Amino acid sequence: GKEAALLSSKKAFGASINQYEHVSTVLGCTMKFSVIDGLAGKEGKKPVIYWLSGLTCTDRNFVDKAGAFEAAVQCGVAIVCPDTSPRGVDIAGDEASWDFGKGAGFYVNATEPLWDKHYRMYDYVTKELPLLVAGLFAVSGQSIMGHSMGGHGALTIALKNPGMYASVSAFAPICNPCACPWGTKAFSGYLGADAGQWKENDATELMASVGTNCAFDDILIDVGDADNFYTDGQLLPEKFKAACDAKGQACSLRMQPGYDHSYFFICTFVAEHIAFHARRLSK
């Protein structure tokens, strides 16, 4: 689909919160995405920050819970929120668990039979969605951030496409999916037994293997130290930080005392992340 149809528009803090629908040629289904436009009504190009959500989420979780409207207006950015998997496509096993299939696309291009036709969220986020956004308004630059599974998506996408993004940040990202239960389950299902494919979609492995030639002046990561998924070993941010340190890539890993994995944590620090990107988008 070349064009996105506007489904709804709300106003908050002067921002327009728009939801769009389009037919995705990459995913082979109809998809929705949302935009928080902090420059609504203003002329000129807009800097864009992509937000990638976590497991079970849609394009609306960030919009409804992050409280990002005022920061988007103050920083003069548009925040684009895609969905987390193809929709309206039924594949055997896609609803058997909450951490695989629907709502759990992991931002990879699946290579396994059954999944390879529709589960191509990597191409959707990096190729199709930017063209749709450019059809809505002129874009001056783009950055990327995300939460949990979406933090994994943001880190891997930025590391594989450093020239495309001015900056990258993450909340409680799955930093080393090859070494955690969520990742091994998803990668087994979407990518099969090919260890090389796994490493190509793992932020820690990507940083360890190629680095980014220090493409980013900093990578901002916040993790709550009371996050049960952190304590259960699903996130492994220290592994990613160590890989960054070994390559000389700056990474500000901030362990936030008392915070968990939820949007209560995200809404506390989201304005700092938006400002982090806005500074780099304005350069």
Side-chain angles (χ1 to χ4, degrees), residues 56 85-105 114-115 119 185 190:
T56 75
S85 76
R87 300 289 175 179
V89 174
D90 296 318
I91 300 169
D94 69 359
E95 290 189 289
S97 55
W98 60 274
D99 55 0
F100 183 78
K102 286 192 172 83
L114 288 183
W115 305 98
Y119 277 70
K185 176 177 178 175
Y190 295 136

Side-chain angles (χ1 to χ4, degrees), residues 36-103:
I36 299 170
D37 185 354
L39 288 162
K42 296 197 167 72
E43 296 291 313
K45 294 184 175 180
K46 304 176 199 258
V48 168
I49 306 171
Y50 285 89
W51 170 270
L52 304 184
S53 274
L55 291 163
T56 75
C57 290
T58 70
D59 62 306
R60 298 307 282 181
N61 293 70
F62 184 84
V63 171
D64 292 342
K65 294 181 176 178
F69 313 127
E70 197 168 13
V73 171
Q74 288 174 344
C75 291
V77 298
I79 304 172
V80 176
C81 307
D83 206 339
T84 55
S85 76
R87 300 289 175 179
V89 174
D90 296 318
I91 300 169
D94 69 359
E95 290 189 289
S97 55
W98 60 274
D99 55 0
F100 183 78
K102 286 192 172 83

Side-chain angles (χ1 to χ4, degrees), residues 104-144:
F106 268 85
Y107 305 101
V108 300
N109 288 339
T111 54
E112 284 293 281
L114 288 183
W115 305 98
D116 59 350
K117 185 171 171 227
H118 296 287
Y119 277 70
R120 306 185 59 77
M121 289 300 292
Y122 177 88
D123 277 358
Y124 179 72
V125 169
T126 59
K127 294 176 180 165
E128 188 172 25
L129 190 57
L131 288 174
L132 284 162
V133 171
L136 298 173
F137 51 77
V139 175
S140 61
Q142 54 186 16
S143 293
I144 193 163

Side-chain angles (χ1 to χ4, degrees), residues 158-159 161-163 165-167 207 211-219 248-249:
L159 293 179
N161 304 278
Y165 301 95
S167 48
M207 181 59 67
T212 56
N213 303 316
C214 302
F216 300 100
D217 69 315
D218 193 11
I219 296 172
Q249 168 62 58

Side-chain angles (χ1 to χ4, degrees), residues 131-234:
L131 288 174
L132 284 162
V133 171
L136 298 173
F137 51 77
V139 175
S140 61
Q142 54 186 16
S143 293
I144 193 163
M145 62 179 178
H147 170 233
S148 196
M149 173 184 75
H152 141 77
L155 291 172
T156 53
I157 285 170
L159 293 179
K160 290 164 92 163
N161 304 278
M164 270 175 66
Y165 301 95
S167 48
V168 56
S169 75
F171 292 82
I174 303 171
C175 290
N176 193 187
C178 288
C180 80
W182 274 340
T184 52
K185 176 177 178 175
F187 285 6
S188 297
Y190 295 136
L191 303 174
D194 182 350
Q197 281 274 354
W198 286 36
K199 289 182 177 182
E200 274 291 297
N201 291 283
D202 180 312
T204 299
E205 294 285 352
L206 283 168
M207 181 59 67
S209 64
V210 291
T212 56
N213 303 316
C214 302
F216 300 100
D217 69 315
D218 193 11
I219 296 172
L220 175 61
I221 299 176
D222 278 320
V223 182
D225 73 1
D227 183 329
N228 59 307
F229 298 116
Y230 168 67
T231 52
D232 287 350
Q234 292 279 24

Side-chain angles (χ1 to χ4, degrees), residues 238-268:
E238 293 88 356
K239 293 267 186 84
F240 181 70
K241 175 77 166 101
C244 287
D245 290 348
K247 291 286 180 177
Q249 168 62 58
C251 176
S252 298
L253 172 60
R254 309 191 303 187
M255 298 305 302
Q256 302 290 2
Y259 287 92
D260 66 8
H261 198 70
S262 73
Y263 270 84
F264 293 104
F265 157 62
I266 294 170
C267 73
T268 305

